[in-house]
Amino acid sequence: MNENELELVRRQIQLTFDEIQYLIRMLYSTKDYHTKNLTLNQLWNKVSLLHFLTNMLDQQQISSTVTPTLPQPSQPAPPSHMNQTTPQTVPQNLPTITREQLANATGRNGNPAYVAVGGIVYDVTNNKAWSAASHFGLPAGKDLTAEFASCHAGQQWILSTLKPVGRLV
Amino acid sequence: MIDPHHVLPPEDMSNEAIVRRLTEQANVRIQNGQLKKKKLVWLELTGCSGNIISLMNGFNPNLEYMLTLMVDLVYSNSLMAAEGEEAIERLMSVLDEEFILAVEGAVATKNNGLYNVIGRWRGKPFTALQAAKMLGEKASHVIAVGACAVDGGPSAAKPNLAECVGLSDIVKRPMIKLPGCPCHPDWFLGTLAHLLMNGVPELDNMDRPLLFYSTLIHDRCPRRPFFDKGIFAKTLGEPTCLFKLGCRGPVTRVDCPTRKWDGYVNWPIGASTCIGCSQFGFPDKMGPFISYDITRE
Ligand code: HEM
Ligand code: SF4
């Protein structure tokens, strides 16, 4: 972002604050149920917009190479330091996990949800993209190296967002 | 760069306002002759008619507005008065003219398309496959409406006896994709208005208009604070995050949380999990829709 664009974002933030204040005053002054609901919904929108705008400024500070584009389904631009094609640096002292143990980690009935990619086992129990311990038809408890390679080629950074828990033996 | 034409506050920035602005502008330009009404063909292939029904539930604008002010609807088997061969005749008459093609439903390919015959023409069965090819090639713009037209959707779910596929597998050309089961009336009408006025809206790398399909449901979900604190519902009735029950909001990009449905009153997560109906691969890849044995913690 250049100076002009930064300025625009700041101005938007300021305007959004003003609008939020206006909406709050409106909530106090109306008795109409529908107007209240509508106003609350608008407030929610404004807060999310603020969230988005401040994130954009934060990102700008972390690394000026990250362009805050609109989110793409193929993942937003990964921070450049995560953009390497070799597996991420994982802790050396990980315990070994057998294929049997992996097969039990289905994320059901009290078992954690594990998936293996490239010999490393990751915990996806609470990963947002793995609700119901499954992701695009893939169940947890499996070695998904091939699937990861075909579906997320060039997106190695995804692995670095996961928690490594062991080495597959 | 930020475009000088961007609309900024204090103009209303809500979702409803965006679609309203587009459709009203389109109307003004049609009225004062800057824009010519285009012909629209709505083709219904292998599906459940859900998208045309959803469209009839549009509010901003409504169906009547679209039909009388925005386009000249030449063919829609659900809405037109003509029937039988006469209806197909109308469909054929458009081939020599400029028209926009909206397609709902998948294309059944088994036995050369005979699993879905949409009419008769010159005494012979006229298949969805033939129609898709014939009209798809000639249209000025193609809009795939709903999950089935986009990538097969429920019509192509296992075991897929009719060997259904999405429109883009049959018609090899650029097209706008509006996944969803069904497609929200605003997604279609907003895209149509944009198309009439400014051409094809900006699309993502899966051909969906960024206008509607750019934010993750999870990022705007009113239950999100519960997710962030790890408070997960055990049954559908609870007001907390539905993640452990199988919510697909975290992998589905579309504006349901802020747009809402049925006249903007409620939406799936208002009552149950998001089943990812606007995500590619729905429904097979979005299952299980609900599970009760998922580990918490
Ligand atoms: C059938 C193969 C797969 C498909 C089609 C697929 C598809 C996708 C898509 C479309 C998204 C992005 C959703 C969005 O934000 O719009 C995503 C995100 C994700 N995928 Fe996959 N995926 C596959 C396999 C895998 C595997 C094997 C893993 C295992 C580690 C994985 C881990 C993730 C994670 C962690 C995210 C979230 C990334 C983030 O933080 O935004 N995926 N996947
Ligand atoms: S209910 Fe679904 S979309 Fe909403 S916060 Fe929970 S997981 Fe995310």
Side-chain angles (χ1 to χ4, degrees):
Chain A
M1 268 194 281
N2 61 32
E3 251 326 296
N4 267 345
E5 286 165 348
L6 272 176
E7 189 46 44
L8 242 168
V9 173
R10 289 201 197 98
R11 227 181 73 208
Q12 273 248 23
I13 291 180
Q14 199 46 55
L15 272 169
T16 314
F17 273 124
D18 293 346
E19 284 182 336
I20 287 177
Q21 257 145 16
Y22 170 80
L23 287 172
I24 290 174
R25 280 203 297 278
M26 176 116 141
L27 267 184
Y28 276 108
S29 64
T30 181
K31 292 202 170 55
D32 180 58
Y33 176 77
H34 293 283
T35 316
K36 268 204 167 121
N37 268 352
L38 197 71
T39 312
L40 273 176
N41 193 35
Q42 282 172 335
L43 261 178
W44 170 259
N45 281 348
K46 297 298 167 200
V47 169
S48 300
L49 179 67
L50 265 185
H51 186 184
F52 171 76
L53 292 169
T54 48
N55 268 353
M56 199 146 117
L57 286 185
D58 281 354
Q59 268 188 5
Q60 179 75 8
Q61 275 159 7
I62 296 167
S63 136
S64 49
T65 58
V66 180
T67 37
T69 50
L70 281 172
Q72 293 287 320
S74 62
Q75 307 314 322
S80 53
H81 64 278
M82 286 178 177
N83 209 2
Q84 61 218 35
T85 42
T86 47
Q88 304 303 306
T89 41
V90 280
Q92 290 304 304
N93 49 358
L94 285 176
T96 55
I97 289 178
T98 64
R99 284 181 185 271
E100 222 163 67
Q101 285 169 317
L102 176 63
N104 280 328
T106 55
R108 294 178 180 274
N109 304 317
N111 297 310
Y114 290 169
V115 293
V117 178
I120 307 293
V121 179
Y122 299 94
D123 185 348
V124 294
T125 315
N126 284 322
N127 183 287
K128 72 176 167 79
W130 283 81
S131 45
S134 63
H135 177 77
F136 288 85
L138 303 170
K142 290 197 177 330
D143 183 349
L144 298 175
T145 307
E147 288 82 353
F148 188 85
S150 73
C151 299
H152 289 302
Q155 294 179 333
Q156 292 293 320
W157 65 271
I158 287 182
L159 296 179
S160 67
T161 65
L162 303 178
K163 192 169 120 207
V165 287
R167 279 171 197 287
L168 189 62
V169 289
Chain B
M1 250 326 280
I2 293 187
D3 181 332
H5 300 300
H6 274 196
V7 182
L8 289 175
E11 280 291 309
D12 190 350
M13 305 291 283
S14 62
N15 281 309
E16 302 89 273
I18 292 170
V19 176
R20 199 175 53 232
R21 244 191 320 265
L22 279 171
T23 47
E24 277 172 5
Q25 267 173 29
N27 184 24
V28 167
R29 293 203 209 166
I30 287 173
Q31 296 302 316
N32 67 19
Q34 278 173 291
L35 267 182
K36 234 186 82 199
K37 259 202 209 181
K38 292 219 170 101
K39 293 198 185 321
L40 175 74
V41 172
W42 182 285
L43 208 52
E44 199 176 310
L45 306 181
T46 322
C48 69
S49 312
N51 294 286
I52 193 89
I53 291 172
S54 171
L55 183 62
M56 294 199 280
N57 192 35
F59 283 80
N60 236 333
N62 59 20
L63 183 75
E64 188 189 336
Y65 186 104
M66 175 189 116
L67 294 182
T68 53
L69 298 171
M70 288 168 73
V71 293
D72 183 4
L73 184 69
V74 182
Y75 180 91
S76 156
N77 65 331
S78 300
L79 302 181
M80 71 199 299
E83 57 179 332
E85 206 140 326
E86 194 189 322
I88 299 291
E89 209 58 64
R90 274 188 77 174
L91 183 60
M92 296 303 171
S93 73
V94 84
L95 283 172
D96 309 319
E97 298 174 57
E98 193 185 330
F99 67 98
I100 296 171
L101 178 67
V103 176
E104 77 167 302
V107 188
T109 61
K110 194 165 182 185
N111 286 3
N112 211 11
L114 269 179
Y115 275 54
N116 186 8
V117 174
I118 65 165
R120 296 186 75 77
W121 191 43
R122 299 195 174 142
K124 286 210 193 100
F126 185 55
T127 66
L129 179 64
Q130 269 174 300
K133 281 189 180 154
M134 204 181 260
L135 288 128
E137 268 166 27
K138 289 278 176 75
S140 66
H141 296 280
V142 179
I143 312 176
V145 188
C148 292
V150 167
D151 70 341
S155 299
K158 271 179 227 148
N160 194 1
L161 295 173
E163 290 169 12
C164 280
V165 297
L167 185 67
S168 55
D169 284 354
I170 298 299
V171 182
K172 300 282 179 201
R173 59 168 290 166
M175 64 177 74
I176 302 171
K177 295 181 180 168
L178 305 177
C181 195
C183 176
H184 195 292
D186 288 0
W187 303 338
F188 177 75
L189 292 170
T191 302
L192 183 66
H194 197 291
L195 197 57
L196 293 174
M197 280 194 299
N198 311 320
V200 179
E202 200 179 334
L203 305 179
D204 67 11
N205 59 1
M206 287 151 120
D207 303 322
R208 304 173 289 187
L210 283 169
L211 188 61
F212 303 115
Y213 293 85
S214 56
T215 42
L216 275 180
I217 285 185
H218 183 67
D219 287 344
R220 298 298 296 271
C221 178
R223 299 186 193 233
R224 178 62 186 267
F226 292 103
F227 177 89
D228 291 340
K229 293 195 173 60
I231 303 171
F232 301 120
K234 290 190 175 65
T235 60
L236 289 180
E238 293 164 48
T240 55
C241 172
L242 302 163
F243 175 66
K244 291 291 173 185
L245 295 172
C247 179
R248 300 296 170 190
V251 292
T252 306
R253 268 180 208 281
V254 76
D255 62 9
C256 292
T258 51
R259 182 170 302 285
K260 304 207 173 161
W261 288 75
D262 300 331
Y264 317 111
V265 294
N266 205 351
W267 66 304
I269 288 181
S272 175
T273 58
C274 162
I275 59 174
C277 78
S278 305
Q279 179 54 272
F280 289 82
F282 172 81
D284 288 353
K285 293 205 160 174
M286 290 296 121
F289 292 162
I290 190 125
S291 326
Y292 291 104
D293 56 355
I294 298 302
T295 307
R296 302 157 182 278
E297 204 20 49

